[in-house]
């Protein structure tokens, strides 16, 4: 299974992420978001951050989770390559694993300003979860 | 694009009549060439905006219009509070008060040329640019709150720049209806990390040469002359503005259920202007506007310091007054005539620049007889322009003109076409100095990824919504 795929978009960054479970789909969505900014391969698992979120729907939960990842990347200069999430109903708990950004080792490609609602979606098809996300950059 | 639905209203103006749920028509200001290039998706977005409650006259598209989030980029829409009009964070955009600042010098570019490389290197060091670059200004939470409330006025008070800069900034660099209590802790945190930074993406600082003057009288009033070296800055409200937009889109999504507003696209989330949610957003948005004014004010100060360091003269002696600072992502209350009646409207400009003609009260007193400058950047490596507003623009475009070139190519497509190094080499072969925080950033912003700025300006002239004052060519570029 492909983890994520980037799609064409004139002004912003659009991707789809997949997972056999909802957790895996969330994790791969976050990976795609990080990859849009900096190569995942260059990020080492050195530090952890915790996330605990609630929403009114699974779709909103994904939106809030990606916003949280973006917020931590920007305010703490963190990069994440791995995620361990547990989702129950419309709540999420988990760990974000990565390291502080280091200009000597990490080359930045773009910076996401926000997770938009444009084309935003989370759906389950034939046992596979699929998220569609557009980042404003 | 489905051209059959459009008719040419007059030269340079294309109109699609209201159908279905649309409350007003969609009007696009463009030459035939640019009109043909506009994506169907962008037109559909403006048709969606035309359905929103309280929209007045027409939903407008500027010549560089392209697909955005909810509202297309290069769009203008005005709403009347008294007719259940709405405010929408999507109609302002994530980068609240993304805007332009133009600083003059008394020097000819030829006088500056021998020092250009050194100057660019010094400015690159002074002004933090690029992803994850921290600001040099360390603010406490209280200071940031003050900055949100008072914008460039606060920055000047703290020693960043001159008092006369405020007179030359839209709204004197401060939106008074700003309330930091309506700004989330997350937006505070994002704001603290990035104060005084240029940003990434299409944000830039350029040293330019004025190549053409089209209107001698107005150029003189603005302090522009042919051959002059000027500095142009493009930046916004950074993470704080992005977070304010993010937060209030969530608020609006919930408010829409309460006020029974239905929109065809979630990104159009909105609330009535006179609702609690609408007022809260406007007060928070104004904090984002003020943050961006202060940010460009701080960078203006460092630009002057850089020039002083390299040229060994005081900025005052170098004639480094500001020409103007104007935003192109904002919503603000203005009086406009609708069917013979003056109405107070909330004008959303997303990727559109205000261009008030002479004698309108929004002009600073020093530009009252000309109308203030509208600063229009080209894409990296191409020309930029200074325009001014017209009476036609006031009547037909809510006193708005374009905001830049507008993308035509996706970032991925651009990167497949050329590498950042190639782009740098090509621009250097044209005699420009390019310093970028990242090579992929340079590739994404290549001139080929944008519409032709000269054609965009031609559209503004053809439709008579603005007039050319000057054209500038880039000589040194610092990219985020």
């Amino acid at each position: 299974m492909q983890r994520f795929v980037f799609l064409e978009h004139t002004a912003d960054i659009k991707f789809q992420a997949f997972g056999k479970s909802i957790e895996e789909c969330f994790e791969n969505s976050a990976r795609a978001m990080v990859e849009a900014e900096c190569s995942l391969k260059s990020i080492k698992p050195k530090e952890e951050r915790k996330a605990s979120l609630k929403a009114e729907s699974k779709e909103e939960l994904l939106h809030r989770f990606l916003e949280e990842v973006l917020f931590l990347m920007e305010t703490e200069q963190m990069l994440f390559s791995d995620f361990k999430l547990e989702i129950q109903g419309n709540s999420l708990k988990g760990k974000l694993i990565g390291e502080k950004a280091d200009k000597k080792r990490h080359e930045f490609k773009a910076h996401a300003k926000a997770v938009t609602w444009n084309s935003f979606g989370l759906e389950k098809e034939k046992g596979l979860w699929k998220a569609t996300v557009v980042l404003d950059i | 694009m489905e051209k059959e639905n459009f008719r040419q209203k007059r030269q340079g103006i294309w109109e699609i009549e209201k159908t279905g749920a649309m409350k007003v028509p969609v009007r696009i200001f463009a030459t035939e060439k640019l009109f043909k290039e506009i994506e169907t998706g962008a037109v559909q977005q403006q048709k969606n905006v035309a359905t929103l409650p309280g929209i007045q006259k027409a939903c407008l598209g500027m010549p560089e219009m392209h697909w955005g989030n909810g509202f297309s980029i290069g769009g203008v829409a005005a709403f009347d509070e008294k007719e259940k009009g709405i405010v929408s964070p999507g109609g302002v955009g994530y980068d609240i008060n993304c805007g332009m600042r133009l600083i003059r010098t008394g020097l000819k570019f030829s006088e500056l040329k021998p020092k250009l490389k050194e100057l660019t290197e010094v400015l690159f060091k002074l002004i933090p640019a690029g992803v994850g670059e921290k600001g040099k200004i360390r603010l406490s939470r209280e200071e940031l709150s003050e900055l949100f409330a008072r914008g460039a006025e606060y920055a000047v008070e703290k020693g960043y720049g001159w008092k006369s800069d405020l007179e030359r900034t839209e709204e004197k660099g401060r939106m008074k209806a700003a309330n930091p209590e309506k700004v989330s802790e997350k937006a505070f945190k994002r704001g603290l990390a990035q104060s005084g930074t240029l940003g990434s993406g299409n944000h830039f600082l350029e040293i330019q040469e004025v190549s053409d003057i089209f209107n001698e009288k107005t150029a003189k009033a603005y302090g522009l002359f042919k051959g002059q070296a000027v500095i142009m800055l493009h930046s916004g409200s950074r993470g704080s503005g992005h977070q304010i937009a993010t937060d209030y889109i969530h608020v609006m999504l919930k408010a829409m259920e309460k006020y029974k507003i239905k929109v065809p696209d979630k990104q159009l989330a909105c609330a009535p202007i006179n609702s609690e949610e609408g007022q809260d957003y406007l007060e928070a948005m104004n904090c984002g506007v003020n943050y961006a004014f202060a940010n460009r004010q701080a960078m203006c100060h460092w630009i002057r310091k850089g020039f002083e360091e390299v040229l060994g003269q005081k900025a005052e002696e170098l004639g480094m007054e500001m020409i103007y600072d104007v935003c192109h992502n904002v919503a603000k209350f203005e009086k406009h005539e609708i069917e013979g009646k003056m109405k107070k409207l909330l004008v959303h400009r997303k990727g559109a620049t205000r261009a008030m003609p002479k004698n309108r009260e929004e002009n600073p007193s020093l530009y009252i007889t000309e109308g203030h400058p509208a600063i229009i950047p080209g894409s990296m490596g191409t020309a930029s322009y200074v325009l001014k507003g017209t009476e036609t623009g006031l009547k037909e475009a809510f006193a708005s003109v374009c905001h830049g070139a507008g993308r035509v190519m996706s970032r991925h497509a651009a990167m497949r076409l050329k590498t950042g190094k190639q782009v740098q080499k090509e621009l250097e072969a044209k005699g420009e100095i390019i310093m970028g925080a990242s090579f992929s950033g340079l590739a994404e912003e290549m001139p080929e990824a944008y519409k032709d700025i000269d054609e965009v300006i031609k559209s503004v002239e053809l439709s008579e919504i603005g007039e050319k004052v000057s054209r500038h060519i880039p000589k040194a570029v610092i990219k985020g």
Side-chain angles (χ1 to χ4, degrees), chain B residues 260-289:
Chain B
K260 298 187 174 54
I261 299 172
K262 285 205 170 73
V263 293
D265 176 349
K266 271 190 173 174
Q267 200 68 42
L268 297 175
C270 57
I273 297 168
N274 58 14
S275 66
E276 191 187 340
E277 293 86 349
Q279 289 297 312
D280 285 355
Y281 168 66
L282 284 168
E283 289 179 6
M285 179 205 75
N286 282 332
C287 291
V289 172

Side-chain angles (χ1 to χ4, degrees), chain B residues 27-30 34 38 46 59-66 72-76 349-353 393 396-404 451 456 459-460 463 465:
Chain B
R27 275 182 208 145
I28 297 171
F29 302 87
L34 280 183
I38 293 169
Q46 292 310 75
C59 175
L60 308 179
M62 291 294 132
E64 77 278 33
M65 187 173 121
H66 65 89
S72 56
I73 294 162
V76 181
R349 293 188 182 87
K350 181 181 182 184
T353 314
E396 300 197 27
F398 296 113
S400 313
V401 292
C402 55
H403 86 305
K451 295 184 187 187
V456 171
S459 305
V460 169
S463 57
I465 57 173

Side-chain angles (χ1 to χ4, degrees), chain B residues 16-36:
Chain B
I16 184 165
E17 281 180 28
K18 59 174 179 176
T19 50
M22 285 166 69
K23 294 184 171 65
V24 292
V26 170
R27 275 182 208 145
I28 297 171
F29 302 87
T31 58
E32 191 164 2
K33 182 172 179 274
L34 280 183
F35 175 65
K36 281 182 179 164

Side-chain angles (χ1 to χ4, degrees), chain A residues 3-128:
Chain A
R3 283 178 155 183
F4 53 80
V5 55
F6 287 100
L7 306 168
E8 283 297 318
H9 193 291
T10 314
D12 293 321
I13 288 179
K14 185 174 186 178
F15 64 81
Q16 281 181 330
F18 311 93
K20 287 183 188 120
S21 64
I22 187 166
E23 285 87 354
E24 195 180 20
C25 183
F26 272 49
E27 290 167 13
N28 286 337
S29 300
R31 283 192 182 97
M33 196 168 82
V34 177
E35 179 68 38
E37 294 210 10
C38 176
S39 171
L40 283 165
K41 284 181 205 155
S42 67
I43 304 164
K44 291 175 185 158
K46 288 182 181 169
E47 287 181 48
E48 281 180 12
R49 294 289 182 277
K50 286 197 172 97
S52 175
L53 300 161
K54 270 184 196 161
E56 286 178 17
S57 66
K58 288 189 171 56
E59 198 184 50
E60 191 195 332
L61 188 65
L62 174 64
H63 209 276
R64 290 201 180 270
F65 169 61
L66 294 176
E67 282 172 9
E68 184 68 17
V69 176
L70 194 153
F71 175 76
L72 290 170
M73 283 169 66
E74 190 174 297
T75 52
E76 299 194 23
Q77 286 80 46
M78 284 294 293
L79 289 167
F80 301 105
S81 54
D82 203 8
F83 305 87
K84 303 245 182 296
L85 305 179
E86 267 180 58
I87 296 169
Q88 279 188 329
N90 297 329
S91 303
L92 169 155
K93 267 189 187 161
K95 282 189 248 178
L96 290 64
I97 305 150
E99 63 172 324
K100 284 266 184 196
D102 176 356
K103 283 212 157 171
K104 288 179 207 126
R105 286 189 296 113
H106 301 124
E107 206 213 329
F108 289 95
K109 294 185 268 188
H111 177 61
K113 289 176 189 164
V115 183
T116 76
W117 288 98
N118 215 328
S119 315
F120 190 82
L122 177 68
E123 55 195 340
K124 196 179 176 184
E125 263 176 32
K126 294 177 191 162
L128 190 71

Side-chain angles (χ1 to χ4, degrees), chain B residues 256-385:
Chain B
M256 283 197 302
E257 290 169 29
K258 187 166 142 191
Y259 301 109
K260 298 187 174 54
I261 299 172
K262 285 205 170 73
V263 293
D265 176 349
K266 271 190 173 174
Q267 200 68 42
L268 297 175
C270 57
I273 297 168
N274 58 14
S275 66
E276 191 187 340
E277 293 86 349
Q279 289 297 312
D280 285 355
Y281 168 66
L282 284 168
E283 289 179 6
M285 179 205 75
N286 282 332
C287 291
V289 172
N290 286 343
Y291 185 97
F293 280 143
N295 209 28
R296 292 196 289 272
Q297 186 61 47
M299 286 187 274
C300 171
H301 170 71
W302 291 324
I303 290 166
R304 288 182 179 136
K305 291 283 155 219
F307 270 70
E308 286 179 345
E309 186 185 323
V310 174
L311 301 176
Q313 268 180 288
K314 288 290 227 185
E316 289 86 345
E317 292 161 11
L318 293 167
M320 294 183 75
E321 286 104 18
M322 263 180 68
I323 290 180
Y324 204 52
D325 180 306
V326 63
C327 33
H328 51 231
N329 277 5
V330 77
K332 52 176 62 177
F333 289 104
E334 292 168 6
K335 281 182 198 146
H336 288 277
E337 195 181 314
I338 305 288
E339 290 163 2
K341 265 198 231 161
M342 280 310 265
K343 286 185 171 184
K344 186 180 131 192
L345 305 179
L346 184 63
V347 183
H348 292 62
R349 293 188 182 87
K350 181 181 182 184
T353 314
R354 180 152 95 172
M356 285 291 174
K358 63 183 179 187
N359 299 331
R360 276 280 299 213
E361 62 184 17
E362 292 86 350
N363 285 300
S365 55
L366 78 158
Y367 295 140
I368 195 81
T369 58
E370 299 296 330
H372 67 85
I375 306 160
I376 315 298
S379 53
M380 181 173 67
T382 65
S384 295
Y385 285 82

Side-chain angles (χ1 to χ4, degrees), chain B residues 436-465:
Chain B
S438 90
F439 276 119
S440 57
L442 283 182
E444 287 177 5
E445 294 300 318
M446 68 176 67
E448 293 89 336
Y450 283 84
K451 295 184 187 187
D452 175 1
I453 186 72
D454 296 318
E455 192 72 19
V456 171
I457 301 297
K458 215 165 116 185
S459 305
V460 169
E461 282 198 291
L462 185 69
S463 57
E464 298 172 2
I465 57 173

